Amino acid sequence: MSNKIWGGRFADRPDAVLEEINASIDFDRELAAHDIAGSLAHVAMLEKTGIVAKADAEAIRDALGRIHGEIEKGAFSFSRELEDIHMNIESRLTELIGPAAGRLHTARSRNDQVAVDFRLYIRAAIDAIDAAIRALQTALAEKALAHAGSVMPGFTHMQPAQPITFGHHLLAYVEMLGRDRSRFKDARARLNECPLGAAALAGTSFPIDRAATAKTLGFDRPTANSLDSVSDRDFVIETLAAAALCAVHLSRLAEEIVLWASPQFGFVRLSDRFSTGSSIMPQKRNPDAAELVRAKSGRIIGALTALLIVLKGLPLAYSKDLQEDKEGTFDALETLSLCLAATTGMISDLEPDVARMKAAAGAAYATATDLADYLVRELGLPFRDAHRVTGRLVALAAKKNVGLEKLSLAELKTVEPRLTKAALSVLGVENSVASRTSYGGTAPANVAAAAKKWLAALGKRG
């Protein structure tokens, strides 16, 4: 028995191994609702242009609605022999209404059918991800506003550098996520063209109205070239690229949460809702949610890499290789959504130890730059000279094993005689952060204003 989809050309049925490697229904059933939406738009256009009679179009519409209901209720029987979601739905359509079902495939191919299904899926996924990123931005901005003046160490090279505020640190991630949303928005704008009607690769001789189907499905316009329409997966690549970078941002934040929650840092405490215990060590509180967000970025980056490799050697137009575009994409976008939800939960519940952070902010001579700036501002030293003087003072404090603020005025004067008692005032961490008033700086007033501005943009009252 030959394959009943395309078996007219073949005398024997496919080998079992071919059927196994060829079937995609196990994963592309994810496209069922989008496939039905595309078919409803297509049959409406076929009826309007007179290509399909009204009675047949109505029968197809009614049956597609019934199939959609069966799938939603879990009552639909998927068959691997029918290869993919398109033929599974068409086969059931034939069972319900007979030969009239065959008219639905007029002026289209599975090539443009899957292309429109996938664009609809990606578009919906982007909209859901955008909402999830916005929720995380809101949680971060709210926490930043609450801790606009909470001092913590800022790091470079993972070494204490200068005091900053916890709110300022959190707002850095709000900015990153804002760029992520912008990238997804750009990808969505470019994908919003409809390939339906490109057929297999060359278009069709039927008098179809591609603008009508594009409008029905919410696309801006039809795609302009039939070859490109069925072979293009740029829209998936762009979306995965945005997803991969967003996952990297989440991973960086997750790494910091892991560090901050450790006893060695002790900067934050994660709630029980986002911590786990140990099967052997009763005292443990493990930041597993953060660790898994950090790890899952690899899956998302891997999906992008895999699809780039699939596409790199493909000639125009459609090749079966493109069946490999879906599993990784479905997994990547679902994984990103999960990571965004987990991170939002962690941030919302997270409680910083303000006293511990402030104490750490003053360690390791973190206000040395403030002293150097003071020397430039008050004594008129060139910055390089001020840097050298401050370095000598740091060396003196290190030799005595005390902080810069613990040096006496007499000791300061052994290095720079013109220093006065006023110099000691710049060595406090709160004075340090308060002085960073340049645009984008960590001064608490700046941070509070930036957090309020973000919350307003995100639709929340700060």
Side-chain angles (χ1 to χ4, degrees):
M1 175 182 172
S2 63
N3 184 290
K4 63 182 181 181
I5 304 171
W6 39 260
R9 171 68 175 81
F10 297 81
D12 295 328
R13 67 169 298 131
D15 187 90
V17 173
L18 175 58
E19 286 190 338
E20 180 67 23
I21 198 172
N22 193 47
S24 60
I25 190 58
D26 294 341
F27 53 86
D28 69 12
R29 64 177 66 184
E30 182 81 24
L31 299 174
H34 304 297
D35 193 72
I36 290 171
S39 291
L40 288 169
H42 187 63
V43 74
M45 181 274 296
L46 292 176
E47 179 187 4
K48 184 177 180 182
T49 55
I51 297 171
V52 169
K54 180 179 180 180
D56 287 340
E58 288 179 348
I60 290 169
R61 270 193 295 272
D62 290 345
L64 286 173
R66 179 174 172 182
I67 292 167
H68 186 264
E70 291 174 351
I71 292 172
E72 283 197 324
K73 294 174 185 175
F76 189 90
S77 179
F78 293 98
S79 168
R80 299 189 88 235
E81 183 178 297
L82 293 169
E83 296 183 9
D84 56 34
I85 188 61
H86 321 299
M87 297 315 301
N88 269 265
I89 290 175
E90 185 172 319
S91 177
R92 178 60 175 148
L93 192 65
T94 302
E95 290 176 359
L96 292 174
I97 65 174
R103 299 192 184 282
L104 176 59
H105 211 53
T106 306
R108 77 173 182 184
S109 161
R110 281 188 292 176
N111 294 356
D112 62 336
Q113 192 176 352
V114 70
V116 74
D117 291 1
F118 209 9
R119 284 179 187 249
L120 290 170
Y121 170 88
I122 294 290
R123 191 174 69 184
I126 287 175
D127 291 344
I129 287 169
D130 180 75
I133 297 175
R134 179 179 172 277
L136 176 53
Q137 286 183 292
T138 300
L140 287 162
E142 288 176 338
K143 193 73 71 174
L145 182 58
H147 292 280
S150 299
V151 181
M152 71 173 293
F155 296 89
T156 62
H157 307 275
M158 269 310 293
Q159 303 296 312
Q162 292 177 274
I164 59 170
T165 71
F166 188 60
H168 192 59
H169 197 118
L170 296 181
L171 287 179
Y173 285 100
V174 178
E175 295 288 339
M176 294 182 213
L177 293 166
R179 296 192 294 273
D180 291 327
R181 290 181 69 191
S182 178
R183 277 181 281 271
F184 278 114
K185 182 180 179 182
D186 288 346
R188 192 191 192 284
R190 271 186 290 276
L191 75 79
N192 209 36
E193 296 182 344
C194 185
L196 195 58
L201 76 162
T204 177
S205 58
F206 289 96
I208 62 173
D209 184 350
R210 293 190 62 206
T213 49
K215 183 178 180 181
T216 299
L217 292 170
F219 290 104
D220 295 330
R221 64 191 70 84
T223 51
N225 182 283
S226 59
L227 281 170
D228 182 52
S229 300
V230 299
S231 61
D232 168 45
R233 293 298 183 271
D234 288 4
F235 64 97
V236 189
I237 292 289
E238 284 194 67
T239 303
L240 288 177
L245 189 46
C246 183
V248 167
H249 293 152
L250 297 182
S251 182
R252 295 182 74 179
L253 177 55
E255 167 68 4
E256 295 199 305
I257 291 172
V258 170
L259 291 173
W260 293 344
S262 69
Q264 289 73 22
F265 276 76
F267 288 178
V268 303
R269 179 179 175 86
L270 287 174
S271 71
D272 288 352
R273 300 195 316 138
F274 291 95
S275 303
T276 64
S278 164
S279 64
I280 188 172
M281 295 169 284
Q283 83 283 5
K284 290 297 291 300
R285 286 178 58 83
N286 298 325
D288 281 7
E291 291 172 12
L292 287 167
V293 167
R294 184 176 61 188
K296 287 180 183 295
S297 61
R299 292 171 65 164
I300 299 168
I301 296 166
L304 170 62
T305 303
L307 187 52
L308 284 167
I309 292 169
V310 167
L311 287 174
K312 72 175 182 62
L314 291 188
L316 297 179
Y318 182 85
S319 297
K320 196 70 170 184
D321 308 54
L322 290 176
Q323 185 168 289
E324 290 297 309
D325 60 359
K326 296 174 192 64
E327 282 183 282
T329 300
F330 294 159
D331 179 76
L333 299 184
E334 289 167 9
T335 297
L336 180 60
S337 295
L338 179 60
C339 289
L340 285 163
T343 307
T344 302
M346 285 189 287
I347 291 297
S348 296
D349 286 3
L350 180 149
E351 289 298 331
D353 186 329
V354 175
R356 180 74 176 258
M357 290 194 302
K358 182 178 177 181
Y365 313 106
T367 56
T369 306
D370 296 274
L371 181 56
D373 289 346
Y374 174 86
L375 293 170
V376 172
R377 200 168 50 245
E378 301 300 326
L379 302 186
L381 293 181
F383 182 78
R384 286 300 166 204
D385 291 345
H387 186 287
R388 184 165 52 255
V389 168
T390 304
R392 290 176 60 192
L393 289 170
V394 168
L396 176 61
K399 184 177 180 180
K400 295 175 64 68
N401 197 27
V402 297
L404 272 174
E405 72 282 2
K406 299 297 183 182
L407 291 176
S408 68
L409 180 58
E411 288 171 324
L412 295 178
K413 284 179 173 292
T414 63
V415 176
E416 174 48 66
R418 290 177 292 169
L419 281 170
T420 67
K421 190 176 180 180
L424 297 173
S425 66
V426 303
L427 298 176
V429 293
E430 289 182 330
N431 289 340
S432 174
V433 296
S435 72
R436 307 294 173 181
T437 56
S438 60
Y439 181 77
T442 194
N446 285 18
V447 175
K452 289 176 181 178
K453 184 176 179 180
W454 266 113
L455 288 169
L458 294 164
K460 299 285 285 188
R461 180 176 294 176

